[in-house]
Amino acid sequence: MTSVPNVSNVPNVPLNNGVTMPQLGFGVFQVPDEETTAAVTSALEAGYRSIDTAAIYGNERGVGKAIAASGLAREELFVTTKLWNEDQGYDRTLAAFDASLEKLGLDHVDLYLIHWPTPARDLYVETYKALEKILADGRTRAIGVSNFQIPHLQRLMEHTGITPAVNQVELHPGLQQAELRAFHAEHGIATEAWSPLAQGAVLGDEAVVRTAEAHGVTPAQAVLRWHLQTGNVVIPKSVTPARIRQNLDVFGFELTDADMAALAGLDRGLRTGPDPDTLN
């Protein structure tokens, strides 16, 4: 494959409030803060313009340093962060958001998410109302959730005024979330995939390897291409500059219907992370 990664190759996905976000971004989950600046710098140099972090990752400062040093105009970037579970509740959410902005060194983010529903704590509705205020105040351009199941989304939509723009969930060929994706599509919620490669667990699957070989790409590139053609927003993570570039280089080939069907056959309910119904 000879295509060169380029920011102009990455399609923008329209969100339900008219804001657009890049379909392929860069995640920094499990990247230590002291390594984050270098990793995000490599990503921005490669052409990524969407960066996904979270308060619990402990690396918002590292992200902010890379953004500040990049020389890129703020409007060229799409920055996401997330509210951690212990900060749920209306007033605590507002304070936690202030803390995230300070660490990032920004006056606004592009997307702010509730990280987990933590249903037993039963605070996500009032928490989301705080996100609505943050949106109304112009300090985020879009709001949404992460790891919400259909009943959580239904309750949120019944008791708040704004449908989430995004639901970021674990999603990969081993956990394809078809019912949830259909609900998102019905309600104009963008599906964003974390752990898009199942932390590597699907890369050795015969269908993935065969698909990759057919297109002269790596198994990771084949799976990322599957996400894009499925319609998911995707945020692969790496700290290796060569792999950071490689993960963006997925626009010079297209999977066939047979390839897509082969990867669809890998769905087996494989979770690499917690169950949203029981994490509290």
Side-chain angles (χ1 to χ4, degrees):
M1 192 172 66
T2 58
S3 66
V4 177
N6 185 300
V7 64
S8 64
N9 290 339
V10 181
N12 281 315
V13 172
L15 303 181
N16 59 19
N17 66 346
V19 170
T20 61
M21 73 180 293
Q23 193 180 5
L24 187 101
F26 184 69
V28 295
F29 175 53
Q30 294 178 327
V31 181
D33 195 45
E34 63 272 14
E35 295 177 32
T36 297
T37 302
V40 174
T41 297
S42 291
L44 295 175
E45 289 173 350
Y48 293 83
R49 292 296 179 263
S50 175
I51 308 295
D52 179 277
T53 183
I56 193 63
Y57 300 169
N59 56 21
E60 289 171 314
R61 288 195 193 281
V63 170
K65 287 176 187 172
I67 289 171
S70 71
L72 293 167
R74 177 65 184 88
E75 58 269 21
E76 290 184 57
L77 298 171
F78 192 96
V79 180
T80 301
T81 194
K82 311 179 198 77
L83 174 84
W84 186 239
N85 303 342
E86 66 190 22
D87 292 321
Q88 285 199 30
Y90 190 88
D91 291 333
R92 293 190 66 164
T93 295
L94 297 178
F97 180 77
D98 288 342
S100 285
L101 272 195
E102 187 273 324
K103 289 173 184 171
L104 288 163
L106 301 175
D107 64 1
H108 73 282
V109 295
D110 298 280
L111 179 63
Y112 194 48
L113 306 177
I114 301 175
H115 207 148
W116 292 88
T118 61
R121 302 177 74 226
D122 196 24
L123 290 170
Y124 63 82
V125 172
E126 69 169 272
T127 297
Y128 193 78
K129 289 177 180 177
L131 266 64
E132 291 181 317
K133 174 171 172 47
I134 292 165
L135 179 67
D137 290 346
R139 299 203 299 153
T140 184
R141 297 172 64 226
I143 57 175
V145 294
S146 182
N147 301 300
F148 275 48
Q149 307 273 56
I150 290 173
H152 308 141
L153 292 168
Q154 288 172 325
R155 182 156 175 249
L156 205 61
M157 290 159 64
E158 284 169 14
H159 296 285
T160 66
I162 299 172
T163 299
V166 171
N167 187 15
Q168 183 186 119
V169 296
E170 180 176 354
L171 205 163
H172 44 72
L175 182 71
Q176 295 183 25
Q177 304 264 32
E179 187 180 359
L180 183 59
R181 284 191 290 113
F183 184 90
H184 291 167
E186 183 183 346
H187 295 281
I189 302 168
T191 301
E192 185 171 17
W194 66 259
S195 194
L197 306 176
Q199 299 190 25
V202 298
L203 299 184
D205 277 313
E206 183 183 342
V208 173
V209 172
R210 193 168 58 241
T211 299
E213 288 174 349
H215 295 278
V217 299
T218 67
Q221 287 172 314
V223 172
L224 292 173
R225 185 69 210 177
W226 170 83
H227 278 285
L228 296 173
Q229 290 182 219
T230 300
N232 303 329
V233 177
V234 62
I235 43 169
K237 179 214 86 173
S238 178
V239 295
T240 309
R243 191 163 294 138
I244 288 170
R245 292 191 297 272
Q246 199 174 67
N247 287 343
L248 191 64
D249 189 12
V250 290
F251 298 98
F253 68 102
E254 190 164 337
L255 302 187
T256 65
D257 290 346
D259 296 331
M260 295 294 287
L263 269 60
L266 299 178
D267 196 4
R268 54 186 185 273
L270 169 73
R271 278 197 187 276
T272 67
D275 184 336
D277 287 322
T278 57
L279 181 81
N280 291 295

